[in-house]
Amino acid sequence: MDQLLPSLPKSRTEPDGSAVIRVLSYNIRSLRDDEEALARVIRACEPDLVFVQEAPRFFRWRKHAARLAAKCDLVVLSGGGTAAGPLLLCSLRVFVERTEDVLLPRTPGLHRRGFATAVVRIGAARAGLVSAHLSLDRGERVAQAAMLLDRAAAMDVPHVIAAGDVNETPDGPAFARLAGTLQDCWSAAPWGGEQTFPVSAPARRIDAVFATKGVEVLGCGVPVGLPGVTPGDLAAATDHLPVLAALHLPAAP
C-alpha cells in the first residue's frame, strides 16, 4: 500500500477575510500524454489556482485549454498561446480583477517565452499571479528570472505567487535569483516529495512555487501519496511531477 502524505490544509476563507488556498504548478507537455490521468491528478489536488507550463499554443489551443479546465472543474484564467505556453486556471472561488499575457524578448534560435499573469481576489485577500516557463539557455534564463521579478514588483498588489518550470535546480543562478527575493515554498515548508523531473526517475527539482514574504507557506511539495493521486496517473499524465502548495494569504488592508 502506498504511504499517504501528512494532511495538507484545505482551502478556506477565515473570519478575518484571509484565505487558505491550494496552488498547483504543472508542466503538462502540450497535452501529448494521457489527458484523463492528468485531469485526475489535478482534481485530486483540489487546487484554487493551477499554474500550467507547456499548455497547447498552436492549432485550436483555446479549445484544448478549455477542455482541460472543464475536466478539472476549473476555468481558464489567462495565458496559453498568447503567453507562449504558460497558462493559469482557477476555481470559481477566485474573483478576477485583471489579466495580462506577456511575451518576452525572443532570442534567435530559441523558443519564444512568456508569462501568464493575473490579479485576483479570494475572500478579502488580493494577489498577483505569474505562471512561467524559463529558457533552456542559461543566460536567457537568468535574464527571464529578472524579468519575472520586475513583473511581480510592478503588479501593485500586497502579495505575489509565481510558479513554473525554472529549467534548473536551486543551485542555479536563475533559481537562486528568484529564491533570493521570493520565498521558495518547498524550502519554506517541505511537504511531500522534492524532485520533479523526469517523472520516470525524479532526480532534479526544476519546478517550483514562489511567494512574496507576507504569504505564509503551510506546505509545499510533490503530492505523491496524496489521496487520489496514484503513481500510475502521475507517470501517464506528463513528463514532470506537479508541485502542490497550501498558502495563507492575509486579508488586504
Side-chain angles (χ1 to χ4, degrees):
M1 179 180 292
D2 294 326
Q3 185 177 1
L4 296 182
L5 284 173
S7 61
L8 191 70
K10 298 273 191 177
S11 302
R12 64 181 185 272
T13 302
E14 304 286 15
D16 65 356
S18 64
V20 173
I21 65 170
R22 283 191 175 193
V23 171
L24 187 71
S25 183
Y26 214 168
N27 183 318
I28 65 170
R29 197 159 70 157
S30 299
L31 295 177
R32 290 184 301 207
D33 301 289
D34 187 334
E35 190 172 320
E36 298 304 323
L38 177 70
R40 285 193 295 269
V41 171
I42 294 173
R43 286 198 307 271
C45 291
E46 300 181 279
D48 299 288
L49 299 164
V50 183
F51 293 66
V52 174
Q53 303 85 48
E54 288 194 40
R57 57 193 180 98
F58 297 114
F59 185 63
R60 293 183 177 174
W61 65 266
R62 288 182 175 85
K63 177 180 178 181
H64 297 309
R67 183 183 68 243
L68 176 64
K71 287 181 179 180
C72 301
D73 301 319
L74 302 169
V75 296
V76 174
L77 177 51
S78 71
T82 46
L87 174 73
L88 288 166
L89 307 178
C90 69
S91 72
L92 294 179
R93 184 182 180 217
V94 176
F95 179 86
V96 183
E97 287 191 11
R98 65 178 188 270
T99 66
E100 184 178 3
D101 299 333
V102 179
L103 290 175
L104 303 182
R106 184 172 190 172
T107 301
L110 299 178
H111 288 297
R112 189 71 181 265
R113 303 284 176 171
F115 301 145
T117 79
V119 174
V120 301
R121 282 187 278 137
I122 305 173
R126 186 166 175 264
L129 315 174
V130 183
S131 180
H133 186 185
L134 302 190
S135 177
L136 290 168
D137 178 82
R138 179 185 174 99
E140 187 177 53
R141 194 162 59 239
V142 172
Q144 290 169 353
M147 293 175 204
L148 190 158
L149 293 174
D150 288 344
R151 171 64 52 171
M155 296 183 85
D156 190 29
V157 289
H159 314 290
V160 173
I161 304 164
D165 181 350
V166 185
N167 260 325
E168 70 178 31
T169 53
D171 57 353
F175 201 120
R177 181 80 179 265
L178 295 172
T181 299
L182 305 172
Q183 298 182 82
D184 169 15
C185 293
W186 190 87
S187 294
W191 168 92
E194 178 181 5
Q195 314 304 337
T196 65
F197 185 82
V199 69
S200 57
R204 293 186 288 156
R205 183 162 76 95
I206 64 172
D207 304 87
V209 176
F210 300 93
T212 45
K213 297 294 196 290
V215 176
E216 182 184 2
V217 184
L218 305 175
C220 178
V222 176
V224 176
L226 188 76
V229 176
T230 68
D233 279 347
L234 289 170
T238 178
D239 60 342
H240 286 242
L241 291 170
V243 180
L244 177 63
L247 307 174
H248 179 244
L249 298 177

